[in-house]
Amino acid sequence: MKKMVSVFITAMLLTIPVTSVFAQTNHDPVKEKAKVLASKIVSGYGASGIQYAIRDHGSLVLSDSAGVSDKANKQPITQNTMFGIGSVSKMYVTAAAMMLADSKKIELDKPLTTYIKEFKMADERYKKITPRMLMNHSSGLYGSHYGNGTMFDDKDTSNHDELLEKLKSEHLKANPGEFSVYCNDGFQLLELLVERVSGLSYSRFLETHVSKPLQLTSTKTPLDSFDRNRLAKIYNPAVDQALPVENVNVLGTGGLYSTAEELSKFGEVLIGNRTDILSEKSVKAMQSHEYRNGVWVPEENNTINYGLGWDAVRLAPFDDYGITALSKGGDTQSYHAVLISLPEHDIAIAVLSSGGTSIHNTAFASNVLLEYAKAKGIIKEILPEKTFQPPVKVDMPSDMQAYSGLYGSVGKSANLEIKNGEIDLPALLGEVIPAQKYVYTGSGQFKNNDGNVTLSFDQAKNGKTYLKLNTYLNFPGVGQFVIVTYDFQKLDPNPLDQTTKTVWEHRNGKNYYAVDEKITSVRYINQAGVTIKISVDTGHGYASGTKIVSENKTVNAAAIPVITGRDVFDLNFYQKNHQEYLSTHGQAYIREDAIQPFSQGNSEIRSIPSDGKTVWYKIDKKSANRVLTVKAPASGGFAVYDAKGTVVNFSKVSGMHTVVLPEGGMIVFGGNAGDVFKIDLKNN
């Protein structure tokens, strides 16, 4: 669902293990290694609690945890504690669609329009999209519609209900089937397909065809009725208390809750041990090497090599041992999960956490599985982690200079210049790899000073030139994570006339604020979640990585496979009531220049307009450092941010309606159309 790598949050320095369960021999090395790694994730990588389970030939051989479910009362994680599983939910909707294929109700390679008649786009190529392409991320869809998808204590289904309508005006970034790049919307469409063909709501389908036959009592969607107190509490470093329940209402993409034990039990279906639920043919199809199709060159040891639903069907480092490993990771705003299966050995591990990231959970799961494989005699020894030396610079062939030029990625562009065998690059891989210098080391490769990041330039089958990234990320005390992907695509200059340049120069550096995101949205926990800042390069004709085509429009410029090219967008600017708005990702944003100071207007009553849009204000000097008290209806709420964009008070989280207004900050009110807020503003 959200970006695969998130910023690490403040760690909780408390570890409370619960009883381990061994159905067979007590493998002490496995148990102890899992405990040490789990403790490290809690103490050093931002997780408040972690839960894990291993299943071998259908039997539960390890079930344990670390950390707490609730920091306030130090309530430990138990085997019954539930977590959001994020994008691991994609395995369920993929399996659901494969069940329909088993019963001959759908065919994977027929057009999606066969099953969703109202699916249309402003790009004739949409007619070629098939269910298979949704499962292997090769549909060509832009990526994700996040709007009103993840909410606090709100079961709003508008994201699900409005997706088809929003897609009608959108285009594709590539020919269907050309290449695979992570795509959330594809699994939203799979959810709709399951509903259209089965005649059941998606929640009901899962209950009927998955949970009941597997006797799963803790695998639920936000639309189901269950005891929310069983969910592990979630936290944010900017907020002192636990956050409300997080509902990911995009169910097929990332909306399920479960436990490690039940997720590993569902893994039995994906291994092929429950042919009463999913046929062996469908299981094998899901494990097919879909990543070999398209422009991506997949020979490298990697963490991403798509099957159907699976992120990886040959997960590193298991390839080094001659073991086939399947993997699917998932992240919501607060929960993180991974499921790894070794189908040839009938073993699966599930790891769930509140806080941390799925990358940490994957490193944990891989290391514990290798220890288990060693204990069982599947492997003789565990290979040491890769180590690296500083690079040795060599003379660079002159033809490498041709790779200098303008490059683009999602949301950004950069002019990359190779000088004397060296290249300075901005942050890579979602800013996990910091900006730094790389030197030429021969064979068309550049390396960073630590030697763990290797770059090269790849001319792919689609005729485009990409900056290729091969990196090993080390998490001390937890493990190593390898990823090979494209990160930038070379772009052609796009000359602009002077009039167009002038218009776009006035937008450079401007912030635009979301006006149709519900006030219950998780995105309000940080101002950056509801803000878009425009970066313009008029010299080359690009804005925030997109190609400028007119005074008020850009189109996506990058077609990057694997991961980095996910969630691309166009920018469309328009005027309403003499104010500029931005439309992108199916949502509307208002320009900062149109936002009034909070001290202006009626100081006693503020209301939500008839169109239901949220209302933003700047906290100017006249209102700064004064005490604001708001009387809001139950449907309404507000959030206050300081000048750095950090939340000071979010009423839907804190329950507090009084706050001191910080100078230079922002305040936003949201609710139903016509909601009235009574304002009291006093000197501090």
Side-chain angles (χ1 to χ4, degrees):
M1 289 276 306
K2 79 177 197 180
K3 290 183 180 178
M4 183 177 178
V5 182
S6 59
V7 178
F8 302 159
I9 64 174
T10 305
M12 175 74 177
L13 300 176
L14 178 65
T15 302
I16 303 177
V18 298
T19 304
S20 296
V21 177
F22 288 86
Q24 299 175 354
T25 306
N26 189 346
H27 299 287
D28 285 336
V30 181
K31 173 183 176 182
E32 293 308 314
K33 184 159 193 173
K35 280 182 175 292
V36 169
L37 295 179
S39 177
K40 186 63 177 178
I41 286 179
V42 171
S43 65
Y45 291 97
S48 55
I50 186 170
Q51 182 191 71
Y52 49 93
I54 297 178
R55 203 170 290 270
D56 186 344
H57 287 80
S59 296
L60 189 67
V61 297
L62 176 63
S63 179
D64 209 342
S65 62
V68 293
S69 173
D70 188 334
K71 291 181 181 181
N73 59 22
K74 299 183 180 179
Q75 179 182 340
I77 302 290
T78 73
Q79 64 187 29
N80 294 317
T81 304
M82 295 169 62
F83 295 78
I85 65 170
S87 285
V88 182
S89 303
K90 291 178 171 68
M91 298 310 302
Y92 290 77
V93 75
T94 302
M98 297 303 289
M99 291 175 203
L100 296 177
D102 283 341
S103 60
K104 310 298 183 185
K105 293 181 179 178
I106 70 167
E107 293 183 24
L108 298 191
D109 297 312
K110 275 195 171 183
L112 183 62
T113 52
T114 307
Y115 311 108
I116 306 177
K117 303 293 185 184
E118 63 271 46
F119 172 51
K120 292 180 172 59
M121 296 184 71
D123 187 322
E124 285 298 303
R125 294 176 294 175
Y126 83 93
K127 296 175 182 177
K128 297 180 180 179
I129 296 174
T130 66
R132 180 186 301 276
M133 294 173 188
L134 302 180
M135 297 177 194
N136 67 19
H137 301 277
S138 70
S139 64
L141 294 166
Y142 267 23
S144 305
H145 285 79
Y146 289 116
N148 297 310
T150 304
M151 320 295 281
F152 285 130
D153 275 335
D154 186 344
K155 299 179 182 180
D156 182 278
T157 61
S158 59
N159 188 294
H160 166 279
D161 301 339
E162 297 170 2
L163 178 62
L164 292 176
E165 187 61 33
K166 289 181 176 180
L167 287 173
K168 284 181 180 179
S169 61
E170 298 185 5
H171 294 77
L172 298 176
K173 61 185 171 189
N175 293 322
E178 182 179 346
F179 59 77
S180 293
V181 55
Y182 202 85
C183 178
N184 284 315
D185 281 352
F187 293 83
Q188 282 287 88
L189 288 172
L190 274 183
E191 178 187 337
L192 291 171
L193 179 151
V194 170
E195 292 182 329
R196 296 291 194 277
V197 174
S198 71
L200 300 174
S201 71
Y202 182 62
S203 294
R204 182 66 181 276
F205 185 97
L206 289 183
E207 175 66 23
T208 303
H209 297 285
V210 178
S211 293
K212 282 186 177 179
L214 286 173
Q215 297 182 323
L216 305 180
T217 60
S218 301
T219 300
K220 304 291 183 181
T221 78
L223 303 183
D224 291 328
S225 297
F226 66 96
D227 182 4
R228 261 63 176 177
N229 290 320
R230 291 185 56 197
L231 291 168
K233 300 290 186 185
I234 56 177
Y235 299 91
N236 184 282
V239 181
D240 293 333
Q241 65 198 77
L243 304 180
V245 170
E246 180 188 77
N247 290 342
V248 179
N249 295 323
V250 283
L251 309 183
T253 289
L256 271 62
Y257 307 107
S258 192
T259 64
E261 290 187 8
E262 289 203 355
L263 180 54
S264 68
K265 194 172 186 180
F266 177 68
E268 289 289 294
V269 175
L270 303 177
I271 287 176
N273 292 343
R274 290 300 301 265
T275 54
D276 58 318
I277 297 175
L278 189 63
S279 73
E280 183 178 353
K281 178 183 176 182
S282 286
V283 168
K284 292 296 184 184
M286 290 173 67
Q287 298 173 15
S288 62
H289 291 200
E290 297 286 322
Y291 65 92
R292 293 186 182 277
N293 303 318
V295 303
W296 175 241
V297 180
E299 285 78 12
E300 295 85 354
N301 197 32
N302 204 356
T303 309
I304 302 293
N305 32 65
Y306 297 118
L308 297 181
W310 294 107
D311 287 341
V313 292
R314 44 177 288 192
L315 176 68
F318 294 92
D319 258 8
D320 294 339
Y321 301 88
I323 298 174
T324 296
L326 315 170
S327 176
K328 181 72 191 87
D331 299 270
T332 71
Q333 187 80 13
S334 307
Y335 291 119
H336 312 277
V338 69
L339 173 66
I340 300 178
S341 295
L342 310 182
E344 296 163 348
H345 300 282
D346 222 343
I347 301 169
I349 185 171
V351 183
L352 313 180
S353 67
S354 175
T357 73
S358 65
I359 288 180
H360 301 141
N361 293 355
T362 300
F364 169 97
S366 296
N367 277 321
V368 172
L369 268 187
L370 287 174
E371 192 70 45
Y372 187 72
K374 180 183 175 183
K376 288 199 67 177
I378 296 172
I379 61 175
K380 291 183 178 180
E381 60 181 357
I382 297 176
L383 302 174
E385 291 183 349
K386 303 287 186 184
T387 58
F388 303 92
Q389 299 296 324
V392 176
K393 184 180 176 181
V394 302
D395 291 338
M396 186 185 75
S398 59
D399 59 0
M400 293 294 296
Q401 290 289 150
Y403 289 113
S404 294
L406 180 69
Y407 285 76
S409 190
V410 177
K412 60 185 177 182
S413 59
N415 194 42
L416 308 187
E417 186 175 4
I418 303 173
K419 281 186 177 180
N420 302 318
E422 298 181 354
I423 180 170
D424 286 307
L425 290 179
L428 303 173
L429 198 61
E431 301 190 352
V432 171
I433 300 171
Q436 57 191 302
K437 180 179 291 185
Y438 300 80
V439 300
Y440 187 74
T441 59
S443 302
Q445 296 181 337
F446 297 77
K447 292 183 182 291
N448 66 337
N449 188 57
D450 292 333
N452 68 312
V453 182
T454 301
L455 301 176
S456 59
F457 294 91
D458 193 358
Q459 292 182 308
K461 290 186 291 184
N462 61 358
K464 302 182 187 301
T465 298
Y466 295 101
L467 179 69
K468 189 176 182 179
L469 168 66
N470 186 326
T471 183
Y472 282 82
L473 303 176
N474 291 308
F475 303 113
V478 176
Q480 202 170 61
F481 191 92
V482 59
I483 189 164
V484 184
T485 186
Y486 291 147
D487 207 283
F488 274 94
Q489 175 189 321
K490 195 171 188 182
L491 303 176
D492 295 324
N494 177 40
L496 304 177
D497 61 60
Q498 189 55 51
T499 301
T500 303
K501 274 188 178 182
T502 301
V503 170
W504 281 96
E505 284 169 353
H506 289 153
R507 293 187 180 118
N508 188 35
K510 294 292 184 181
N511 287 314
Y512 290 74
Y513 296 87
V515 294
D516 49 11
E517 187 75 4
K518 288 186 68 176
I519 199 62
T520 48
S521 171
V522 169
R523 290 167 64 188
Y524 285 107
I525 202 71
N526 188 311
Q527 185 180 307
V530 284
T531 308
I532 292 176
K533 187 171 186 175
I534 302 299
S535 174
V536 180
D537 177 1
T538 54
H540 293 99
Y542 290 84
S544 297
T546 61
K547 183 178 181 180
I548 298 171
V549 296
S550 71
E551 294 178 12
N552 293 308
K553 182 177 176 61
T554 72
V555 296
N556 170 61
I560 305 178
V562 194
I563 298 174
T564 315
R566 62 182 290 178
D567 300 340
V568 302
F569 51 85
D570 302 332
L571 300 174
N572 294 281
F573 295 87
Y574 62 97
Q575 295 285 320
K576 181 179 178 182
N577 298 326
H578 306 292
Q579 303 294 348
E580 184 173 81
Y581 286 79
L582 164 65
S583 175
T584 187
H585 288 299
Q587 288 195 283
Y589 295 76
I590 188 171
R591 183 166 165 156
E592 61 179 66
D593 301 344
I595 297 174
Q596 292 186 348
F598 188 66
S599 60
Q600 290 188 5
N602 191 321
S603 62
E604 295 180 354
I605 297 176
R606 309 290 167 105
S607 62
I608 302 300
S610 58
D611 60 6
K613 303 294 187 187
T614 57
V615 182
W616 289 84
Y617 295 96
K618 298 173 183 175
I619 301 173
D620 56 346
K621 289 185 177 181
K622 290 183 180 180
S623 54
N625 301 312
R626 300 181 72 185
V627 179
L628 170 69
T629 301
V630 179
K631 186 176 181 181
S635 56
F638 68 99
V640 176
Y641 307 94
D642 65 17
K644 295 180 179 179
T646 302
V647 68
V648 174
N649 182 50
F650 181 11
S651 66
K652 288 295 184 180
V653 168
S654 68
M656 297 173 57
H657 290 78
T658 298
V659 61
V660 178
L661 298 180
E663 184 173 349
M666 301 289 292
I667 182 169
V668 58
F669 293 89
N672 294 334
D675 276 354
V676 173
F677 298 80
K678 294 185 178 180
I679 304 297
D680 183 23
L681 195 58
K682 295 181 178 179
N683 292 328
N684 193 357

